[in-house]
Amino acid sequence: MYRFQKRVTSVSVHALLAVALAGFLTFGAGGVVHAQDSTATETSSGTQPAAPVQAETASPAAESTGPAVTPSSNASEQTAPVEPVAAGNAETTAENPVQPAEDGAAAPEAAEKPAVSVPVAFDPAQVIERARNLAKQPFENPHRDLPEALANLSSDNYAKIRFKSEKAFFSQANSGFALDLYHPGNMYDVPVAINLVRDGQVQAVPYSAGLFDFGETGLSGNDFSTQGYAGFRLRYPLGNVAGSDELATFLGASYFRIQGRDQVAGQMARGLTVDLAGPSGEEIPVFREFWIVAPKEGERKITVFALLDSVRLTGAYRFDIRPGNNSKVDVSSTLFFRDRVEKIGLAPLNSMFLYGEQKRRRFEDYRGEVHSSDGLLINNGKGEWLWRPLDNPANLQISSFLDENPRGFGLLQRDRNFDHYQDLDTRFDQQPGYWVTPKGDWGKGHVELVEIPSPSESNDNIVAFWVPQNKPEAGSELTVEYQIAATQDGSDLHKLSQATDTRIMHIPSGGDDAQAATRFILNFAGEELEYYLSDLDNLQANISASNAEIRNIRLMKDPENGGVRVMFDLIGTGEAQSSNLRAFLQYDDRVLSETWTMPWVF
């Protein structure tokens, strides 16, 4: 039913601190880094396996043919600005499920309905007010003890609980959108309240086991009672007009993902990170309630409001989701701080990198590469485009890119060649990259990249986010707006040639005066680069390294891959254990490529 690639939910504080202390490139102490666990997803059409910069430190409601959702008896409490977060109606169980409405037919008799109340007017400002007032109250842990039958479900068995597609909310015939819900179970133990907004009126969706097929789990709706849902999925005909493909999913903590045409499940985004990889350990915010606005006929946008809660902050979110070749979501969040936060991570992106062409760590695997993203791209406030290849390091590695008013950043899957992966199940070659575009001025701060050592592709070991320079204080508020686009390789983002490949090899000492070195082989391709290849003698590779020497620079045409290949040797001076490398192409004073950058430990 759902696939987040079975990724591990967390890494122990002590384990991360241990690798942080051992790592040469940990510029700051390590802490707990949360990685989302995952299970399998299935759509109705089949399974579907974000001048030089400072140096890097390491349809109308009446026409809906889905379930006839009626507000629960506590609907007015759910939307009241000062009431605690509601978690759904516990009285509606398998014996009293939400009933689907037949086309043109009257709703079922009252005896078959869940408890109802008069719909309540919805105002987006209410969500902000809810978050503001919630921040004034002591934090209450949202995690709940699930019935044993659900709590003990393995990831594989949880994936077998499927939402009945014929009971999807909204009319896909009118708007194209369909809404499915996820059942609590396994690690998903936060009861999430789901509300629908139709014609300005909010209706709570009471819990109903009758919306789910428990399949081969051996469970049935009579085996337990629970409150709320685990999350939801939006479907839309992305591939063809008759299709029903996954567009967006919100499931677990503050995780969500979006997909465009011909894309499959890959990396994820988060609402927020709090002290990720910090010395005190990560604090994990959760979405506790959603308001999903029913799209009108012909409208190519769906809006979701969300209430976020955490120990030291609350938040009101708005997501405007637009399907397309590169589906986009406009995010607006207003945060309210109960207490000071040392490191807030805005617009965080989560991905996985096990190994790639650089072969810095070797695995016994038939696949040439295993990763959901292969690089971090940054467009800094000065207009420079930086490409940082990802790594699965031996030790926890934290890199910071100092900036002011960044123009964008994202984790991209640049390698689209299936032959490089040979994975027919996960299809890494079809997974999206995410590109974040800030709205307004974000001020001073840095893009932070966290790379966590991982022995398995089941771990989301890569996180990238923006950290503002000013730390939020208790009682303060912060409003942030940005857009996330589910793109391909990022070639549509700028007009420079791309750094496409990074390969690395060790050159042993040859005796006498010959020193051991590390050889880097970089490929650049695309855009205007081909035009300048006729004058290769005047095409230059501008390469620099801190605390090291660069020797034997070579630049040659690459007739097989296109563009040019740049080779150079890196030799340490013995004065430092690490170096920051940079390389870009230029012709006279004209910059032709992104700036490739990478930290290196001798």
Side-chain angles (χ1 to χ4, degrees):
M1 178 180 182
Y2 197 75
R3 191 184 74 78
F4 270 155
Q5 298 186 24
K6 300 182 181 177
R7 295 179 183 170
V8 173
T9 58
S10 63
V11 179
S12 86
V13 178
H14 301 295
L16 273 183
L17 286 176
V19 294
L21 292 172
F24 292 112
L25 285 174
T26 306
F27 299 93
V32 170
V33 178
H34 176 84
Q36 177 72 9
D37 195 359
S38 318
T39 54
T41 260
E42 179 175 293
T43 67
S44 60
S45 57
T47 300
Q48 295 189 27
V53 74
Q54 302 241 359
E56 176 187 357
T57 63
S59 28
E63 297 180 12
S64 173
T65 59
V69 179
T70 50
S72 64
S73 58
N74 61 356
S76 60
E77 295 177 357
Q78 288 183 327
T79 56
V82 296
E83 292 294 328
V85 179
N89 188 344
E91 298 177 0
T92 306
T93 60
E95 288 76 28
N96 192 22
V98 176
Q99 298 294 324
E102 301 294 337
D103 289 341
E109 295 299 324
E112 299 296 327
K113 292 181 181 179
V116 299
S117 64
V118 177
V120 178
F122 177 75
D123 183 350
Q126 293 174 341
V127 183
I128 296 177
E129 195 63 23
R130 284 280 296 278
R132 177 181 286 111
N133 283 285
L134 188 61
K136 298 175 183 178
Q137 303 172 19
F139 173 74
E140 295 184 8
N141 191 336
H143 295 272
R144 297 291 182 264
D145 290 334
L146 293 174
E148 186 175 350
L150 295 176
N152 293 337
L153 281 174
S154 66
S155 295
D156 288 339
N157 277 332
Y158 176 75
K160 295 175 182 177
I161 303 178
R162 303 173 186 274
F163 184 85
K164 297 177 180 178
S165 60
E166 69 272 14
K167 296 192 175 186
F169 298 84
F170 308 144
S171 171
Q172 200 161 12
N174 292 330
S175 68
F177 294 95
L179 169 66
D180 301 340
L181 302 178
Y182 287 109
H183 199 281
N186 187 251
M187 69 175 187
Y188 302 112
D189 60 357
V190 174
V192 177
I194 303 291
N195 306 280
L196 302 187
V197 180
R198 290 188 169 113
D199 295 331
Q201 302 291 303
V202 61
Q203 297 175 291
V205 181
Y207 169 77
S208 173
L211 295 175
F212 299 91
D213 179 356
F214 294 92
E216 299 175 359
T217 62
L219 303 174
S220 71
N222 296 321
D223 290 337
F224 47 80
S225 61
T226 186
Q227 288 186 326
Y229 297 92
F232 66 92
R233 175 176 66 173
L234 294 169
R235 291 184 282 116
Y236 190 86
L238 294 169
N240 60 74
V241 70
S244 185
D245 307 303
E246 180 180 323
L247 167 64
T249 295
F250 291 76
L251 179 63
S254 68
Y255 288 90
F256 64 95
R257 72 183 184 206
I258 57 170
Q259 292 172 208
R261 179 176 296 172
D262 299 326
Q263 296 175 355
V264 302
Q267 67 169 299
M268 296 171 289
R270 293 205 224 177
L272 202 66
T273 66
V274 180
D275 285 351
L276 191 152
S280 62
E282 183 184 6
E283 177 182 316
I284 302 172
V286 300
F287 286 133
R288 298 185 60 170
E289 189 163 3
F290 292 98
W291 294 260
I292 306 165
V293 182
K296 299 184 182 300
E297 184 173 358
E299 187 176 18
R300 287 182 56 84
K301 180 191 76 170
I302 188 167
T303 298
V304 175
F305 295 89
L307 179 68
L308 179 138
D309 196 12
S310 191
V311 175
R312 283 176 286 172
L313 60 92
T314 66
Y317 281 72
R318 173 173 177 155
F319 302 91
D320 290 317
I321 303 169
R322 294 176 173 83
N325 290 338
N326 295 335
S327 295
K328 298 178 174 63
V329 54
D330 292 298
V331 183
S332 176
S333 63
T334 303
L335 306 175
F336 302 92
F337 293 87
R338 291 186 175 104
D339 204 348
R340 175 184 170 89
V341 173
E342 187 67 21
K343 184 170 68 174
I344 195 80
L346 305 179
L349 305 176
N350 263 54
S351 195
M352 181 275 296
F353 185 92
L354 191 64
Y355 61 89
E357 72 268 1
Q358 62 264 43
K359 304 293 185 184
R360 290 177 63 183
R361 298 184 70 189
R362 299 190 179 276
F363 292 82
E364 293 295 330
D365 200 307
Y366 73 93
R367 298 166 296 180
E369 302 184 35
V370 175
H371 50 74
S372 293
S373 305
D374 54 10
L376 169 67
L377 183 66
I378 300 173
N379 185 203
N380 65 29
K382 296 181 178 180
E384 186 180 23
W385 290 87
L386 302 172
W387 174 254
R388 163 65 152 78
L390 297 180
D391 188 23
N392 182 3
N395 302 293
L396 178 66
Q397 187 163 282
I398 302 175
S399 302
S400 298
F401 302 83
L402 301 180
D403 201 1
E404 183 174 0
N405 297 326
R407 302 181 185 182
F409 66 92
L411 294 173
L412 302 183
Q413 184 74 315
R414 185 158 279 181
D415 190 338
R416 294 285 161 181
N417 189 332
F418 171 77
D419 188 54
H420 293 174
Y421 304 100
Q422 285 293 329
D423 193 321
L424 288 171
D425 295 318
T426 310
R427 294 308 302 261
F428 294 113
D429 58 306
Q430 295 180 4
Q431 295 185 10
Y434 283 177
W435 180 253
V436 174
T437 303
K439 296 182 179 181
D441 293 338
W442 281 14
K444 293 182 178 180
H446 66 267
V447 174
E448 185 162 308
L449 174 66
V450 179
E451 296 166 296
I452 308 168
S454 176
S456 168
E457 65 193 274
S458 63
N459 302 326
D460 264 353
N461 62 325
I462 303 295
V463 193
F465 47 90
W466 173 258
V467 180
Q469 178 175 282
N470 296 328
K471 300 174 182 178
E473 299 289 344
S476 65
E477 301 180 10
L478 176 64
T479 297
V480 179
E481 296 183 342
Y482 55 94
Q483 182 185 86
I484 301 177
T487 184
Q488 297 291 329
D489 58 4
S491 58
D492 56 337
L493 296 174
H494 58 65
K495 298 299 182 182
L496 297 171
S497 66
Q498 295 182 329
T500 59
D501 299 291
T502 300
R503 290 177 169 80
I504 304 168
M505 65 179 293
H506 178 66
I507 307 296
S509 171
D512 298 330
D513 295 331
Q515 295 178 266
T518 303
R519 178 161 295 171
F520 291 81
I521 301 96
L522 314 179
N523 280 16
F524 292 87
E527 294 300 333
E528 295 182 338
L529 187 56
E530 294 290 334
Y531 175 79
Y532 292 93
L533 292 184
S534 60
D535 190 12
L536 195 63
D537 291 339
N538 288 311
L539 186 63
Q540 297 179 346
N542 189 317
I543 303 173
S544 60
S546 62
N547 308 313
E549 295 181 12
I550 297 293
R551 297 181 184 176
N552 303 326
I553 298 176
R554 297 176 59 197
L555 192 151
M556 65 194 75
K557 292 182 181 180
D558 186 349
E560 298 299 325
N561 299 301
V564 299
R565 172 166 291 185
V566 176
M567 302 174 66
F568 65 89
D569 294 343
L570 178 72
I571 300 174
T573 62
E575 297 177 358
Q577 294 180 315
S578 64
S579 177
N580 292 305
L581 312 178
R582 291 168 51 90
F584 63 91
L585 299 177
Q586 64 183 71
Y587 186 88
D588 293 334
D589 294 329
R590 181 182 177 86
V591 175
L592 302 180
S593 73
E594 301 167 338
T595 298
W596 172 94
T597 181
M598 176 178 272
W600 187 253
V601 175
F602 295 106

